[in-house]
Amino acid sequence: MKNFCVTKGVYPTMITPYKKDGSIDEDAVRALVRFYFEAGCDGIFAVCQSSEIFYLSLAERVRLAELVVKEARALAARDKSRAPLMIVASGHVSDDPAAQSEELNAIAATGVDALILISNRMDIANAGDEAWIAETKALIATLPADLPLGVYECPKPYKRLLSERMIKWCAESGRFYFVKDTCCDAALIEKRLAWCRGTQLEIFNANAQTLLETLRAGAAGYCGVMANFHPELYVKLYHGLDFSSQEAALLQSYLCLAATTESLTYPCCAKDYLARFRGLTMECAARSNDVKSYTPYQRGCVAQLALLDAKMMESIGGKCHE
């Protein structure tokens, strides 16, 4: 891992498309990877909460990772003008450490660039920092020694935020390169960045509302839900604008308000947006949420978001609609 370096930038938290019979729609998965790539994303966080990992069998989680890795590699082979998508993935949902090891090793075997551990799966009893570190140390000892690791503060089944002690241990271990931060607190993220300074550990903010402030402080990028809707806008913010500019502040303000869309029966709302406004063939159905809860009112809100997205893209010289 001596030469490994996390690609900074925009990482969508990938959703899982399904067919009408409820099985994973593999063609839609491939199309979604192409969508992220063509939008300019830098990587994909596959097999995560947006992917509905707690509602997928292990075989489905592994297959999802395989599909994403294979399509991303194919895209990289066809287009050498840009860096390949960096694929990171999680997928351990069990309480039992042995079962978690089995799950993580199965995901690791798919060829992902980095394996992401869910922070609330270690020390499930929440006994304290030292218990978490001990269990994490035991778990990673069962994983491939040359595979880069990361940590995701997944909100389900409860949000286990990383303490200063935990973050510093991850950085000092030399195994961890990626943190998907869900604290939604710009001041705390700035402290976390200071704790990681001079190490290989990078902090990615999952929260759109605090994104620009944390990018100014040195965050490695955005890894969140809203990159399923308008990834181009996040790519523009990260790669195309001076973080101190008025244009960046204006785009940040739009992204802040647009991110409230996540509350509209996600991930159904994201699938509807992609199908109606981005040209992807995809059912709205989900396993983690009842599509019947996705009301005409919510569909109307998503349509208004799409209209504003198009105008915002025009204002920054891009294109957001098929």
Side-chain angles (χ1 to χ4, degrees), residues 136-148:
T136 303
K137 190 181 295 185
L139 180 59
I140 66 176
T142 71
L143 305 177
D146 59 347
L147 185 61

Side-chain angles (χ1 to χ4, degrees), residues 97-315:
Q100 289 186 45
S101 176
E102 177 188 1
E103 292 165 337
L104 287 168
N105 276 290
I107 297 295
T110 65
V112 296
D113 295 300
L115 191 63
I116 310 299
L117 277 60
I118 295 175
S119 59
N120 63 44
R121 296 295 78 206
M122 292 79 75
D123 181 28
I124 290 173
N126 205 352
D129 292 358
E130 297 308 319
W132 187 91
I133 290 168
E135 290 194 19
T136 303
K137 190 181 295 185
L139 180 59
I140 66 176
T142 71
L143 305 177
D146 59 347
L147 185 61
L149 303 175
V151 184
Y152 167 31
E153 295 174 327
C154 181
K156 185 181 175 70
Y158 76 96
K159 186 182 288 192
R160 178 73 179 269
L161 293 180
L162 299 173
S163 68
E164 179 178 359
R165 172 78 176 103
M166 293 155 74
I167 288 177
K168 287 183 175 178
W169 177 83
C170 287
E172 291 164 1
S173 74
R175 293 295 310 274
F176 291 87
Y177 292 77
F178 189 110
V179 172
K180 176 173 161 49
D181 183 299
T182 67
C183 75
C184 305
D185 182 334
L188 177 55
I189 292 174
E190 189 167 357
K191 289 181 181 178
R192 291 175 162 192
L193 290 166
W195 300 335
C196 296
R197 194 160 294 128
T199 77
Q200 77 289 342
L201 189 59
E202 301 285 0
I203 305 288
F204 287 78
N205 192 350
N207 179 244
Q209 287 82 351
T210 58
L211 181 58
L212 181 57
E213 186 176 354
T214 61
L215 291 178
R216 289 170 175 164
Y222 176 68
C223 180
V225 164
M226 293 306 295
N228 285 300
F229 293 82
H230 39 224
E232 299 91 342
L233 297 178
Y234 287 93
V235 170
K236 180 69 174 183
L237 179 64
Y238 188 83
H239 291 290
L241 298 177
D242 179 341
F243 295 157
S244 64
S245 68
Q246 184 61 33
E247 190 176 11
L250 179 62
L251 179 53
Q252 166 62 48
S253 295
Y254 177 71
L255 294 174
C256 170
L257 295 176
T260 59
T261 305
E262 181 185 353
S263 66
L264 304 177
T265 316
Y266 181 79
C268 300
C269 60
K271 296 177 181 184
D272 177 47
Y273 182 97
L274 292 168
R276 279 202 287 164
F277 303 107
R278 302 312 303 268
L280 278 74
T281 301
M282 187 178 299
E283 297 291 325
C284 289
R287 296 183 186 177
S288 59
N289 232 327
D290 187 350
V291 71
K292 293 179 182 177
S293 299
Y294 185 54
T295 62
Y297 165 82
Q298 294 184 3
R299 283 174 55 87
C301 292
V302 166
Q304 292 177 71
L305 172 70
L307 179 61
L308 287 171
D309 277 349
K311 290 298 182 183
M312 183 59 70
M313 286 300 295
E314 287 175 14
S315 75

